[in-house]
Amino acid sequence: MTGRIAGIARHAESRGPIELLDRVRVTPEGGVEGDRNGGKNKRQVSLIEAGDWAAATAEAGADLPWWQRRANLLVEDFDLPHGGGVRVRIGADVVIELRTEIDPCARMDALAPGLRVALEPDWRGGAGGKVIAGGEIAVGDAIRIEQ
């Protein structure tokens, strides 16, 4: 199964502005270049499925852009594996080991009442991972399970 990267975002500081990108460098040392979470072991990079975001915002009765979730990568036509230890390849070079579910925080309810609860089931809040192999990724790149 192959999906695609539909969006890339980063934020340099907690609660800071979100920057949308067409392409970005990703490294094992720093995650998404310029993102505040690059030094975290379990969630250097965060990914969310477009369909999950759409379903959760619809349940909450909100029309919000995906980057309000503060995830780094929006994926389309791809089901993120649940559970740790699965590796995904993005484009030709980047490999990310998915390590954890990203639990939605109270901040989601500040965006839309009920959004936090709508993001809780079935990993809808997204997955966090560690960069195993770095490189440059771009919107439109393929994402697939690494064998």
Side-chain angles (χ1 to χ4, degrees):
M1 171 176 58
T2 302
R4 74 176 198 93
I5 300 299
I8 301 171
R10 67 180 172 198
H11 57 292
E13 56 192 58
S14 180
R15 300 187 184 270
I18 301 293
E19 181 181 8
L20 298 176
L21 307 163
D22 292 326
R23 61 182 53 254
V24 72
R25 183 147 192 76
V26 179
T27 67
E29 301 79 26
V32 173
E33 190 173 71
D35 189 79
R36 68 178 291 275
N37 291 318
K40 294 182 177 178
N41 190 34
K42 287 189 176 183
R43 54 179 283 200
Q44 278 185 311
V45 179
S46 55
L47 303 89
I48 190 167
E49 295 176 34
D52 285 350
W53 179 253
T57 55
E59 279 181 29
D63 183 19
L64 298 167
W66 73 273
W67 49 265
Q68 290 282 354
R69 178 66 180 112
R70 303 185 80 76
N72 297 121
L73 305 177
L74 178 69
V75 299
E76 284 184 335
D77 303 322
F78 186 77
D79 290 323
L80 290 168
H82 300 181
V86 177
R87 292 182 177 191
V88 295
R89 179 175 291 274
I90 301 171
D93 300 319
V94 174
V95 177
I96 297 171
E97 183 176 280
L98 301 179
R99 293 191 170 181
T100 187
E101 176 180 9
I102 298 181
D103 296 320
C105 64
R107 188 168 207 197
M108 295 298 101
D109 280 340
L111 294 173
L115 183 56
R116 180 180 185 176
V117 170
L119 285 166
E120 287 177 354
D122 199 32
W123 285 53
R124 274 187 180 173
K130 170 105 176 117
V131 179
I132 304 302
E136 188 169 279
I137 60 172
V139 171
D141 280 354
I143 180 172
R144 64 189 178 281
I145 303 290
E146 177 78 346
Q147 301 296 335

